[in-house]
Structure formats: C-alpha cells, structure tokens
Amino acid sequence: MGPNMPTTAVQVLIVDDDEFALSILESTLSRMGYTTVSARDGNEAIEILRRGEIRLVITDWDMPGMNGVELCRVIRREDLSGYVYVIMLTGREGPRQQMEGLYAGADDFINKPLDPESLLICLKTAERILSLETRDVALFALAKLAESRDSETGSHVERVQSYSRLLAQHLSAEVKASAGIDAEYVRLLYQTSPLHDLGKVGIPDAVLLKPGKLTATEFAIMKTHTIVGAETLDAALNRFPSARFLQLAREIAISHHEKFDGTGYPYGLAGQQIPMCGRIVAVADVYDALTSRRVYKEAVTHEQAAAIIKRDSGTHFDPEVVGAFLRAEEQIIDMRERLRDDLAPSSQPPAPLPPPPPVVSDQRSCKILIAEDDPVLLQKLAELLAGTGEPIFLASDGEEAKHILDEHKPRVVISDWEMPKIDGVELCGQIRRDVEIEPVYFVMLTAHSNKERLLDAYRAGVDDFVAKPFDPEELLARVRAGIRSGKLHDELVRKATGSQAINAQLTQLNSRLEKLAITDELTGLFNRRHAMSRLEEQWALAERYSRPLTIAMIDIDHFKKINDVYGHHAGDMVLRRVAMVLREQTRETDTVCRVGGEEFLIIFPAQTTLEARVCAERFRVAVAQHPFDIGDASTRVTVSIGLAARDRGLAQFTDLLKAADLTLYAAKRAGRNVVHVHNPFETPVPPAMLNESPAGTGAAGSSASSPPPAPIDFAVVLKTCGGDANFAGAVMERFKSQAGVEVGRIDQGVATGDADAIRRAAHTLKSMAAYVSATAASQLADRIESLAREKTLAEVPALLVTLRTQVNLTIQWITQNAAASVKQCA
C-alpha cells in the first residue's frame, strides 16, 4: 500500500448499561472486524450520534433513564446527518414487544444471549441498507464532477471498466485467493474503474486538452491527477469511511500509473506494494490508450498493443495480470469491437444533452404487493394494509405477482411461502436476480419454524418474516418499516435526478445477502452456516441411497503462536493460504468450509473412511510442505485432522460432526500433525471432561454415583463467544467473580424493599447467566426482574434461595472445569 492509503472499519455504537453484556458485544464485534463506540444510556448515545460519525446502533431495550425504545423515538425525531440503522438488543420475547420497538423506529432485533451468526446477518443487512445512501450520494457527486471535463472519456471509460472486469475474472485461482478477489470485488471493480482519471478535473485545460506532445513541465502537472483524484475521494471517505467502493476507487485513482518495477508515479511503488486493482486497471487503461485514436496519434492494432503489453510484463505490468490478458484475449477483442468509437468526422453540431427525467408525481408513494393464494386471507390483508395509505396490488399466485412486479414495480412485497406455480422463496429469488428492479422490501408470511428453511429464505433475499397466524398490528408495523426503507431509497434517487451515471448505478443497488450468508469473507470458503446445511443434505442423501459419507475436521496447530509472534495480519494470511491448499487438494464434489477460527470442515460425499484418509494425509502433507513467507520471515505450519464416517451408531448429522470433533481433539492430544479416525466402538471422552475432578461419593459413604448434569454447556458458551476459547474462559471467570455480588445486591434490595435495586441486579445477573448458558439461573433472574419491575416482591425471597443455589452450582462447575475446557479448545 502507498502512503495515506487508509484501511477503515465500520463503526458501531453500542448502548447498554450492563457492563458484562457491553464487554461481550464489544469483543464479538471486534472479532468480526467492526470498531465500536460505547454509551451507557440513551442520552449519552444521542450526544455521540449528533457528531454525525456513526450511523449503525445496537441498543439494549432495558436501560435506566432513556431506554432503547425512547432512544429510537429520539433518533427518528432528530435531524441527524443521515439515516441511522437501529438494532434492538433484548431479552424480551413476543410480538407485542417487537411491535412496540418497530413503531418506535427500530430496524431489527437480536435476542440475548447473542448468536454471533445471527448478529452478523443483522449487521450485513444494515450495511446493505445504509449503502443505499452512501453510495448514491458519493457516486452522484463524483460522476457529476467527472463528466464536466474531458470529452474523450465516454467510450474510453466503458471499455476500461469492461476490460478490467475481464482481467479480474481471468486471473488464476491462486491469485484470486491471495488477493481476496471474489464476485463482489469484481462487481465493485467494474463500478469504480471509470473513476481512475477522476483527478483530471483538476488539470488546467491548456495541459489536459493540448493536442500535441506535453513538455516535461506539462507532464509533471499531468501526473498530479493521481493525487488530485485520491484527495477528492479522501473527502468522500472522511464522510463515509465504511464505503468499500470508495476505498477501491481511491486505490485505483492513486495507483493505476504505478509500474511493476517501481518506475511509475506518484509514489514509485513496486510489485505487491501496488494494489491489485491498480495493477489490473493499468493494463486495461494502457491497452485502450494504445488501440484508440487521438488527435495527436493513430490507433495501433490489437496485435501491436498485445505485443507491447507482453514485452512490458514484469517492468510496467504485473505478469499475473498480463497472463489474464492473454487468457481473455478473444473476449477483449470482441469487447473492443462492440465499444469502438465512431472515428468518422462529422460536420453536424453536437446533439444537445437529454433533458432530465421527469419528476414522478407520487414521490411519496410506495406501492405494496400482496401475494396470497387464500382469497379470504388476501382480502383481509388488503383491508389491513389499506391503512398505510399506499397503493395496494393483489396477486393470487407467484406468477401473477411477478407480472405485477414487472408492470407496477411495487416497493414492498408481502408474500405467502406456499403458493402455486411460483412459491414465495422463488418469487423473492427472481426479484433479487433482476437487476432492473429497484430495491424491494420482502416480507414472508410463513408457518415454518425450521432454522435451516428460514436460512434458505434469507439466502434468497427475504428481509423479514411474520409467523402465521399473524398479529395484524405486528404485520402493519413491519410493513411500515419496509415503507420507510423504500422511501429512504426514493429520496436518494431524487438527489440523483438528471445524472445518467447515477441512474445506471441505482439499478445495481439491490445487493443480496446470499454470498454473505454462505461465504467466509477472509478465505472465500463456505462458512459454518452453509457447512451445516450441506452436511445435513449429504446425510439425507447417504441415508436414502445407503452410501458412505465421511467428514474431516481440520485445525491449524499452534495457531495462537502465529498471531502472537507475527501479528493477526500474518494469521489471516496463513488462514487464506491453508484454505487455498485445501481447495487445490479436493475434488469438485467435496465441500470445503471454514467453521470458525482456525478450524475447517471438509465433506466427502460417497467416500469411505479409507478413501477419505488418503485425501486427509494428502492435505496434511501439502500444508506441512507449503512454505509460509511472513514479511522477511518464513515459518512452517501443520494441521491436525479428525475423520468420522456415517455408521449405525450415529443417529443424525450432528452426531457425525461431534464424532469428528472429538477425533480431532484426540489428534491434538496425540502430538498434532496427524490424522486420526473415529472408532465407533469406543466411547470418546468430551474435551470439557478430560481433566474433570472425580465425582464425589454418595451419602453415608456409598459408592460413587453419576455426577449431576452440568449447569453449563461449554460448547454453547464457546459458540456465543465466536469460537474464541480464551474469551469464553474470560466470560466464565467474570461470572465467577461477579454473579455472587449481584445475588448479594438482590438480597440487600429485598431487605430494604428497594425494587429498583433488585431489578437492576437481576437484569445484570440474567444477562451474565445467559451468556454462560446457565439457563436455570437466567430464567430465575428474569422472573425476579419482572416482579421487581411490577414492584411485586412477595415471591422474590423464595426465588432468591433457588437462584443462589443455581449460581453456586455454576460457579463450582466453572472452578472445576473451565480451565480444562479452555485448554482443550485453545
């Protein structure tokens, strides 16, 4: 990276008076790549938001002073610098509470304790909606600025963006993996590459429009367009620091004239120091300059331009990008012909600019489509939603709904899941695949509660769910939230009226969650959610056709040391390289996933344990032999692998996963850098129990009895803590030191009759217990909190006795088992 090339993260404001929950959320968001700012109440949060730097808020519901609902109302009343997306964090359940939050202006809800995967879905949804404003405003300003100058850039920018996309698509798989190039990167590169010469708006006409060769002084002035472009984009980035497309546009503007051998400008960067986007656009820009006619030169043929690019491979251009150019040569020639300039001189005056598009009379209209095959329910929904004051369209099946979408372009869709011809999920998928449709807020009516089926709907692009039978007020509140989102987008469209470039951008703003829902951003592999979905699918196929199914759990040995010695950047590089090795060593039919931290899962359909072991040994050897260069240092990395196959002793796919997980721990205990195979005839010892103290004897010296069920499920704690064993240990230690204090505060509140003190202590204890999966203690604390809120304290003393017992049992379990559990998972 060159000087002043920023790397930014999305800022999230967390509002919670519970220090324990606050620390959990801060740590979870930090591991996801977000930066956080904290506030302890609503008043402090509003003061932070008024600075105009943060537009994504996660707030607790129950807080002293201004609670979460009141904070939402103030945010919606305030004239802040942009739309603020609010996620409500709550332990409350039921549609009435969520309806109250929606009416107040909340955009989404997360229940305590946190599920990191659900939180990530909420955050990515928030980023998508917020990007409607940031991308529109920024691209509008930049496009208007760029179109005011050089008259030769029309077809040039179209060709450069098309060439750039082809080059990125034809880079080798290894280069794509190491540079983080995926479909989203290619899409953003296509959108932002036209801004590569944005800085030319700051070049004097005498230099920019000179028909002949530039003097040395004039060329020095021309070279400053890279700095001017970067500084222009810096101004936009200061306002929208989380906009990834702006970051990419800046990198292109500042680096596309750098040369691979370090002789380019403005900074003389060389090799990998030059951002990959700059190396790609450099080839696309030079190729188009060579093959295009200008007033001071004639165009060269494709063959001549290709010869120059091959000649300058390794000096001017990155050899990897030149290789992609050669692989894409036929497509580039075809693209050049389709986008060629009309060179014939014309005596006709230039055509006048087209008038701006007419302003739509119903600017505030947000059309609603209801798709439902039950005519009675369809009419009921129509009557209910007529109260919104928006135009209503009715469809009795998915096919009719699609026709209405094409013709009337509604902005909010309420659809039943099960419908003839096209069901709700397929209807949503078609909407998301159609880039010509403006952003549509899609609400699904469903009786389904299966998590995997709901995730399928999320992948298709569903924004919200309402369970059948639905609460009319809840549905109305959710539809109004969708109308608010649609009108936010419409306001942004009106800001872009009159700009062709912006209108083209707006057709691409309907980004979907599918990739985010199934892909690990760091490695490009499938993530844990998709892994579970694929494993369940392969288990069902194996059951139906009586064929084998084997899986491998893979863990990088001593990964913490890599982070500690070389830094987290090096750890990320190792994860990407290991993922690349695993991809290269597997068949197309195998599924490779990153399931958390440094842990990977490979699914081998129709493979026996013997066949899978051959593959696993190949992975192990390939990783061990692969050199890992980290800066000036080099290190070796090994992996441990646990294999498990479907057999009659395993009832479901989750049992297969547990068997592989326990076998992986056995491989770790055996010294690491080995492959272990699950033996179905031996009973594995769970990792959390490996160093557990022996059970005590029964009454009157009787023989040892089975220990009581553990009050904590460490696997749940580990999941809540994002797979970080050390963090999970810290959370349990925090409970161990603080829970007794909160019990004492409840006891003192009972003695003095202080209902507020009881409520505050019970609220904190409920949150702490939920995060360590102490369900019984959490439920008791929740009941005491409710009684204190209602100032009905007669039941509290009896509940407190049971609560104290549960807390003591939990503390005892943590004392005996936490260290061993953390050690086995670290």
Side-chain angles (χ1 to χ4, degrees):
M1 300 287 288
N4 302 319
M5 289 189 179
T7 55
T8 58
V10 176
Q11 270 198 318
V12 182
L13 173 61
I14 309 171
V15 193
D16 202 324
D17 64 313
D18 182 347
E19 293 289 340
F20 185 84
L22 199 63
S23 64
I24 292 277
L25 196 50
E26 286 174 341
S27 299
T28 302
L29 290 170
S30 176
R31 288 195 304 277
M32 291 177 177
Y34 295 89
T35 59
T36 59
V37 177
S38 301
R40 269 63 181 178
D41 59 46
N43 291 314
E44 184 182 354
I46 284 295
E47 290 304 314
I48 293 171
L49 289 171
R50 283 172 180 160
R51 299 172 196 163
E53 299 168 357
I54 300 175
R55 298 171 58 224
L56 179 51
V57 177
I58 301 176
T59 179
D60 189 27
W61 184 300
D62 294 301
M63 294 184 293
M66 185 189 298
N67 65 22
V69 172
E70 292 164 346
L71 173 60
C72 280
R73 293 193 182 103
V74 174
I75 288 172
R76 298 305 173 217
R77 286 197 304 266
E78 287 267 337
D79 184 19
L80 300 172
S81 60
Y83 187 78
V84 176
Y85 193 96
V86 180
I87 300 173
M88 189 80 78
L89 185 65
T90 177
R92 300 186 179 196
E93 297 180 354
R96 291 285 175 184
Q97 288 74 24
Q98 291 198 1
M99 184 184 66
E100 182 182 355
L102 287 168
Y103 271 121
D107 294 284
D108 211 339
F109 294 87
I110 286 287
N111 288 326
K112 292 181 178 179
L114 289 173
D115 175 14
E117 292 180 348
S118 298
L119 175 62
L120 185 59
I121 287 177
C122 284
L123 291 169
K124 293 304 179 184
T125 301
E127 289 185 58
R128 181 186 67 182
I129 291 175
L130 291 174
S131 72
L132 295 176
E133 181 171 3
T134 60
R135 187 174 301 185
D136 284 1
V137 172
L139 283 179
F140 175 74
L142 295 174
K144 294 298 290 183
L145 185 63
E147 71 182 14
S148 68
R149 295 301 304 280
D150 193 350
S151 61
E152 293 189 71
T153 59
S155 296
H156 168 70
V157 296
E158 292 177 7
R159 289 192 297 268
V160 167
Q161 69 175 169
S162 297
Y163 297 156
S164 297
R165 177 166 60 184
L166 288 171
L167 293 174
Q169 290 171 339
H170 280 80
L171 285 168
S172 68
E174 182 176 349
V175 171
K176 287 181 180 179
S178 62
I181 296 176
D182 54 15
E184 174 68 5
Y185 182 98
V186 174
R187 187 177 67 84
L188 288 177
L189 180 68
Y190 179 80
Q191 290 179 340
T192 55
S193 56
L195 300 176
H196 64 284
D197 280 337
L198 173 67
K200 286 185 177 179
V201 299
I203 304 301
D205 287 350
V207 175
L208 181 65
L209 306 178
K210 182 178 178 179
K213 185 177 180 180
L214 299 178
T215 66
T217 301
E218 289 169 339
F219 185 58
I221 294 172
M222 179 64 81
K223 289 197 293 185
T224 63
H225 80 276
T226 56
I227 303 293
V228 174
E231 289 175 348
T232 302
L233 289 159
D234 278 338
L237 273 166
N238 289 336
R239 180 65 185 84
F240 304 110
S242 63
R244 187 183 174 197
F245 70 98
L246 284 176
Q247 298 168 20
L248 197 67
R250 185 197 189 278
E251 290 182 351
I252 292 170
I254 196 71
S255 67
H256 73 285
H257 281 296
E258 300 285 1
K259 294 184 179 181
F260 200 70
D261 61 1
T263 61
Y265 65 85
Y267 298 122
L269 303 180
Q272 305 299 316
Q273 293 177 313
I274 308 170
M276 177 56 77
C277 56
R279 287 177 262 160
I280 292 171
V281 173
V283 173
D285 189 34
V286 170
Y287 173 78
D288 190 63
L290 290 170
T291 56
S292 298
R293 180 182 180 274
R294 296 289 182 262
V295 294
Y296 55 85
K297 76 171 191 70
E298 292 297 325
V300 304
T301 66
H302 167 79
E303 290 72 21
Q304 291 171 317
I308 292 171
I309 288 173
K310 285 188 283 187
R311 181 197 68 194
D312 291 344
S313 176
T315 54
H316 189 160
F317 307 116
D318 181 351
E320 295 287 356
V321 182
V322 174
F325 174 85
L326 297 176
R327 288 190 288 274
E329 202 163 2
E330 290 185 6
Q331 292 170 278
I332 287 173
I333 293 171
D334 179 65
M335 188 65 66
R336 174 171 166 257
E337 286 302 311
R338 286 195 285 122
L339 296 176
R340 68 190 300 270
D341 291 321
D342 182 6
L343 302 181
S346 173
S347 59
Q348 297 296 322
L353 291 174
V359 177
V360 180
S361 59
D362 60 339
Q363 288 184 1
R364 301 188 59 82
S365 173
C366 190
K367 299 172 185 175
I368 301 172
L369 167 62
I370 307 171
E372 170 61 62
D373 60 325
D374 183 339
V376 176
L377 183 55
L378 184 65
Q379 187 59 37
K380 180 180 177 182
L381 287 166
E383 293 171 358
L384 172 65
L385 297 181
T388 64
E390 306 293 345
I392 306 292
F393 295 87
L394 306 180
S396 58
D397 58 55
E399 194 173 272
E400 184 181 358
K402 190 65 173 66
H403 289 314
I404 292 173
L405 279 160
D406 292 339
E407 182 177 354
H408 297 285
K409 298 183 173 32
R411 306 301 301 284
V412 177
V413 175
I414 300 93
S415 173
D416 189 19
W417 188 309
E418 306 290 347
M419 292 188 297
K421 299 181 181 178
I422 301 176
D423 66 15
V425 173
E426 176 58 24
L427 175 63
C428 184
Q430 290 187 21
I431 292 172
R432 300 307 185 211
R433 289 192 294 271
D434 189 344
V435 297
E436 299 299 325
I437 294 179
E438 291 183 303
V440 173
Y441 195 87
F442 199 103
V443 180
M444 183 78 82
L445 297 174
T446 178
H448 293 304
S449 58
N450 181 275
K451 183 177 180 181
E452 292 302 322
R453 292 206 67 183
L454 295 179
L455 283 173
D456 286 340
Y458 262 124
R459 295 184 192 113
V462 172
D463 293 289
D464 208 346
F465 295 92
V466 174
K468 287 183 175 181
F470 61 85
D471 182 296
E473 293 184 358
E474 179 192 359
L475 176 62
L476 195 59
R478 291 182 183 274
V479 170
R480 282 176 172 155
I483 293 171
R484 186 168 67 242
S485 175
K487 290 187 175 180
L488 167 65
H489 175 268
D490 290 343
E491 176 64 24
L492 300 173
V493 173
R494 285 192 290 276
K495 290 179 181 178
T497 299
S499 170
Q500 261 186 328
I502 293 305
N503 289 336
Q505 288 293 333
L506 289 174
T507 62
Q508 301 177 31
L509 290 179
N510 189 21
S511 58
R512 297 175 294 277
L513 283 173
E514 180 178 356
K515 178 179 179 297
L516 293 170
I518 69 172
T519 306
D520 173 60
E521 290 186 346
L522 178 65
T523 62
L525 300 178
F526 292 124
N527 63 11
R528 183 179 184 85
R529 180 182 296 106
H530 189 65
M532 297 305 100
S533 175
R534 291 294 292 271
L535 182 55
E536 184 177 20
E537 173 186 310
Q538 291 299 329
W539 178 275
L541 291 172
E543 287 279 308
R544 170 175 282 190
Y545 299 109
S546 300
R547 67 190 191 192
L549 172 64
T550 307
I551 65 172
M553 290 295 293
I554 303 173
D555 188 86
I556 301 175
D557 298 327
H558 304 296
F559 183 75
K560 185 176 182 298
K561 291 182 180 178
I562 296 173
N563 281 331
D564 291 344
V565 174
Y566 301 105
H568 289 280
H569 175 74
D572 289 347
M573 188 206 73
V574 168
L575 287 168
R576 285 194 293 265
R577 295 275 181 85
V578 169
M580 180 185 71
V581 172
L582 295 178
R583 260 198 305 257
E584 290 174 345
Q585 299 292 330
T586 50
R587 308 172 302 174
E588 291 185 359
T589 54
D590 300 332
T591 302
V592 187
C593 314
R594 181 187 176 204
V595 292
E598 65 274 22
E599 204 166 71
F600 300 86
L601 169 69
I602 301 181
I603 303 171
F604 300 103
Q607 277 204 27
T608 64
T609 305
L610 182 60
E611 294 168 330
R613 181 160 195 166
V614 173
C615 297
E617 286 290 352
R618 187 170 70 243
F619 304 154
R620 185 187 64 79
V621 172
V623 172
Q625 292 179 345
H626 188 88
F628 289 82
D629 296 324
I630 304 172
D632 296 329
S634 182
T635 186
R636 293 283 176 177
V637 173
T638 62
V639 296
S640 300
I641 303 176
L643 289 175
R646 185 183 72 89
D647 63 68
R648 286 177 295 177
L650 304 176
Q652 53 190 355
F653 78 94
T654 52
D655 296 333
L656 177 62
L657 195 66
K658 290 175 184 176
D661 211 23
L662 293 170
T663 308
L664 172 61
Y665 285 113
K668 289 284 193 182
R669 294 197 304 275
R672 297 179 168 83
N673 194 22
V674 294
V675 177
H676 265 224
V677 179
H678 171 63
N679 182 354
F681 302 105
E682 69 180 19
T683 303
V685 180
M689 305 293 290
L690 290 173
N691 295 324
E692 193 169 355
S693 302
T697 58
S702 62
S703 61
S705 59
S706 299
I712 286 182
D713 184 343
F714 181 72
V716 175
V717 183
L718 191 62
K719 179 183 177 183
T720 302
C721 294
D724 187 333
N726 292 323
F727 181 45
V731 168
M732 291 190 293
E733 286 300 317
R734 177 75 179 274
F735 181 91
K736 179 180 170 183
S737 63
Q738 186 66 26
V741 175
E742 300 302 334
V743 170
R745 288 173 177 165
I746 296 173
D747 200 3
Q748 185 178 359
V750 170
T752 59
D754 189 341
D756 286 339
I758 295 172
R759 181 190 60 77
R760 288 194 300 270
H763 178 71
T764 300
L765 186 56
K766 175 184 72 173
S767 176
M768 295 171 67
Y771 279 110
V772 298
S773 84
T775 307
S778 180
Q779 290 174 345
L780 286 164
D782 181 54
R783 177 60 181 156
I784 291 174
E785 180 189 8
S786 297
L787 292 170
R789 187 182 293 111
E790 298 163 3
K791 301 190 183 303
T792 306
L793 305 183
E795 297 179 38
V796 172
L799 292 171
L800 182 59
V801 172
T802 309
L803 175 62
R804 182 179 282 109
T805 301
Q806 288 295 327
V807 168
N808 289 337
L809 284 172
T810 304
I811 292 173
Q812 181 180 1
W813 190 95
I814 291 172
T815 303
Q816 294 176 349
N817 301 287
S821 300
V822 171
K823 183 179 179 181
Q824 291 302 320
C825 294

